[in-house]
Amino acid sequence: MADRGARRIEDSMWVSWWTDTGTESNVEFGIAEASLDRSATGSTQDLGAASYHLVKLDNLSPDTRYWYRVKTGTQVSRTYRFRTLPPPGDKQGHFRFLIIGDHQIIDQPRHTKMVAAARDKIVEKFGGYIEDAIRLNVNVGDQVDVGNVEHWRNLHFKQSALITPYIPTTTIVGNHETYYDTDLALYKQLFAYDALEYAGIAPPAADVEKYYALRAANLLFIMTDTEHTSTEQASYVERLVGHASADTGVDWSFTLGHRPYQAEQYVGDISTWMRNIVAPILTKTPKSVFVVGAHHHLYARGQLRNEPLYNLISGGTAWDQYWGQSNETDFDDVQKTIDFWPYQIVDVDQAKGDVFNETYAMGSPKLGYFPSTLIDSFHRRKQQAAPQKPAIQEAPTAPVTLPFTFHSSAYASPSQEPNNSTQFQVAPTAAFTSLEVDSYRDYEDLFGTTGESGTPKYWWVDKNKDVDIFSMSMGRRPARRRPRPGRTPPPRRGPPRSRSRRAISIG
């Protein structure tokens, strides 16, 4: 969907398709289904087993629906629709995008099942035309198992076909894209990201199409390549973040890279480049909402300790990955890991500037398939005040005898967001140059599974279900949760709760 040779994407669209034979690449299109009064021609690439057709439609109106069909000789497709992206800085209505991908499996219709589930949920929630509800489809890498023609044609394109004729689709480079296509020569033939840029910021010539940025309405998408990390790519991200931070036409930015920031299964199989180099760059602006990876075939959500940046895993319908298959660690910067196949619908209220993220799952071969079920949700709001400053109740003024339990005062944000995380620190001196205790806990800690005997079977386990995160005990087991007078405990699932911490010192 990029615009080779131009710098705007809201007034153009790329259309691609496959045929067994034929060299003609023609698209007929118009603003009415009954009047396809414009046409465009493009390129045809003979890829041996198939021909790949790529046509750019130019001089389109932003934020407008078009109808189109493709032609190769006597072969004519049915008529489809798409809607162009809104212009830069647009802040009207809602901009929603879908995060889905990491499919890999070619001999089973796993990804087709997930795409169908996502489409049905979108229609159920929003009605109307799917391209009005979802403006962008964002893939997170490993769209194929190996990067050859058969897998691109019959896995990624074929199994995505319930939505890709209607919604502009982006991809990023995963490790499987490089198998049999180490220099990404085929990948670069199939996709057209080479002229995408934001504010004149473009990758070095050698890295064009490996990573890129996409500006849509008041949002910036930073698409990284975690397979070919470099100081040049990090510098590129830093320039994007620096400009977006000062750009009043950009309210939020979203960063995607195939390998994740953190993972509680197959521990260590992450992108240390994303974690140690890119994430600190992203935190230089509060406009950064989340960094999304895949690579692991499940869902996970965490948050940096001291910054409002979420780290997510949105792995798709690839090889089975469940609890008990690998080395596993419960990390305090991951709030939940759920071994279901997820997809996410991100809804940006452009006028208010609010971001709502909903994650749905539709089962897996081990779990069985079920209708799309909401398994997580959270949101970010612009310019929200910090929560009230908590304090230790009955703070000791002299040495204490263990066991001893510290209790936090009740506190809340001015907008009454429920609390999410607490942090207790204990140091031998008021300077806090060294810590005896550094306890960071979330309201929920989903880690592990009920196993087959659970109800429902193979369902998630919340390790903090009965833990009172507003109390911290030294010398004995954590205190059980105690509802506080005058406040109804928040629901088990819902938006993020305001996080805060309070350092204490005992002598």
Side-chain angles (χ1 to χ4, degrees):
M1 61 166 288
D3 191 355
R4 289 176 176 170
R7 299 306 184 190
R8 300 178 61 188
I9 60 172
E10 69 274 7
D11 60 1
S12 64
M13 189 69 71
W14 284 94
V15 178
S16 64
W17 67 99
W18 299 82
T19 60
D20 293 322
T21 61
T23 59
E24 180 188 15
S25 299
N26 186 64
V27 178
E28 298 175 339
F29 64 101
I31 59 173
E33 183 177 11
S35 180
L36 306 181
D37 54 358
R38 298 174 62 181
S39 65
T41 60
S43 64
T44 302
Q45 301 174 62
D46 182 356
L47 299 177
S51 293
Y52 183 70
H53 307 267
L54 186 63
V55 177
K56 188 182 78 168
L57 311 185
D58 270 326
N59 300 314
L60 308 179
S61 298
D63 204 10
T64 301
R65 178 179 298 105
Y66 287 86
W67 301 78
Y68 73 100
R69 66 182 183 183
V70 303
K71 297 179 64 176
T72 298
T74 59
Q75 303 172 76
V76 183
S77 75
R78 55 169 287 192
T79 301
Y80 296 97
R81 312 174 308 269
F82 66 80
R83 185 175 172 184
T84 51
L85 293 172
D90 180 78
K91 298 187 180 183
Q92 302 298 312
H94 289 252
F95 189 104
R96 303 184 188 94
F97 59 96
L98 178 68
I99 301 176
I100 193 170
D102 204 334
H103 8 306
Q104 294 179 240
I105 307 297
I106 193 171
D107 59 352
Q108 300 175 36
R110 293 185 174 195
H111 187 58
T112 301
K113 290 178 181 291
M114 176 170 280
V115 171
R119 178 203 58 187
D120 292 347
K121 177 56 65 175
I122 291 165
V123 171
E124 173 192 321
K125 284 178 64 67
F126 307 112
Y129 289 133
I130 189 172
E131 68 271 17
D132 292 338
I134 301 294
R135 307 306 303 274
L136 192 65
N137 175 34
V138 182
N139 280 259
V140 285
D142 280 4
Q143 286 86 206
V144 292
D145 191 25
V146 295
N148 62 21
V149 170
E150 180 190 6
H151 279 241
W152 279 114
R153 182 182 185 185
N154 295 313
L155 174 53
H156 173 65
F157 284 91
K158 183 178 180 180
Q159 293 203 24
S160 302
L162 289 173
I163 58 174
T164 52
Y166 306 97
I167 305 172
T169 296
T170 66
T171 61
I172 58 176
V173 175
N175 53 299
H176 281 262
E177 275 75 20
T178 68
Y179 300 162
Y180 296 176
D181 190 21
T182 55
D183 59 357
L184 297 177
L186 178 58
Y187 183 84
K188 293 178 180 180
Q189 286 179 276
L190 300 179
F191 302 103
Y193 304 133
D194 49 313
L196 279 177
E197 65 173 29
Y198 163 64
I201 303 169
D207 292 337
V208 164
E209 296 201 70
K210 291 181 180 178
Y211 53 88
Y212 58 97
L214 185 154
R215 167 76 178 277
N218 61 335
L219 311 177
L220 177 65
F221 295 86
I222 301 175
M223 317 294 277
T224 68
D225 177 3
T226 59
E227 303 309 301
H228 306 91
T229 60
S230 63
T231 55
E232 290 80 9
Q233 187 178 177
S235 175
Y236 170 74
V237 172
E238 188 157 27
R239 283 180 287 144
L240 292 172
V241 169
H243 196 280
S245 181
D247 187 347
T248 57
V250 172
D251 288 338
W252 301 108
S253 70
F254 307 91
T255 301
L256 297 99
H258 178 65
R259 294 182 189 260
Y261 173 95
Q262 183 62 287
E264 294 187 323
Q265 294 185 12
Y266 293 97
V267 172
D269 192 4
I270 63 173
S271 173
T272 55
W273 175 79
M274 180 66 76
R275 182 178 179 87
N276 299 330
I277 296 176
V278 175
I281 294 172
L282 300 178
T283 62
K284 292 181 179 180
T285 174
K287 295 181 180 181
S288 296
V289 180
F290 54 61
V291 55
V292 182
H295 195 56
H296 297 260
H297 312 145
L298 43 69
Y299 175 71
R301 190 247 285 179
Q303 186 175 354
L304 276 65
R305 271 196 176 196
N306 299 313
E307 302 291 342
L309 179 69
Y310 290 98
N311 61 86
L312 309 174
I313 295 177
S314 188
T317 52
W319 309 103
D320 298 344
Q321 181 174 337
Y322 303 110
W323 291 106
Q325 292 181 326
S326 66
N327 54 323
E328 300 163 356
T329 300
D330 188 5
F331 292 113
D332 66 9
D333 57 358
V334 178
Q335 188 164 353
K336 52 187 67 179
T337 295
I338 303 173
D339 59 347
F340 294 0
W341 290 344
Y343 65 87
Q344 298 179 61
I345 297 174
V346 184
D347 186 346
V348 182
D349 186 325
Q350 292 170 272
K352 294 181 179 179
D354 296 340
V355 180
F356 297 90
N357 184 303
E358 291 186 335
T359 300
Y360 292 89
M362 37 72 73
S364 68
K366 181 176 182 179
L367 299 166
Y369 296 104
F370 45 77
S372 291
T373 300
L374 182 67
I375 62 171
D376 191 28
S377 64
F378 62 90
H379 66 253
R380 282 281 305 277
R381 301 183 189 275
K382 290 183 65 177
Q383 300 175 340
Q384 293 294 297
Q388 301 163 353
K389 186 176 181 179
I392 295 298
Q393 294 179 321
E394 301 178 358
T397 58
V400 298
T401 300
L402 300 181
F404 186 84
T405 300
F406 295 96
H407 299 285
S408 169
S409 62
Y411 63 94
S413 67
S415 57
Q416 297 302 306
E417 295 279 4
N419 294 293
N420 186 69
S421 306
T422 60
Q423 185 172 9
F424 287 81
Q425 293 181 334
V426 178
T429 67
F432 279 81
T433 54
S434 64
L435 297 176
E436 298 289 342
V437 174
D438 187 5
S439 174
Y440 184 94
R441 290 171 298 170
D442 296 314
Y443 177 76
E444 293 176 300
D445 181 17
L446 273 55
F447 182 87
T449 179
T450 59
E452 190 169 6
S453 61
T455 304
K457 69 177 183 178
Y458 298 116
W459 211 251
W460 59 67
V461 172
D462 182 1
K463 295 178 66 176
N464 282 359
K465 179 182 178 182
D466 297 316
V467 174
D468 179 7
I469 65 171
F470 300 96
S471 297
M472 193 275 295
S473 297
M474 298 179 63
R476 67 180 182 185
R477 294 181 179 179
R480 296 294 183 181
R481 177 179 305 220
R482 300 176 303 167
R484 296 184 300 283
R487 184 173 187 266
T488 302
R492 296 307 312 148
R493 301 184 198 136
R497 290 101 188 170
S498 303
R499 54 189 301 225
S500 188
R501 63 179 183 175
R502 172 65 173 173
I504 62 173
S505 173
I506 58 175

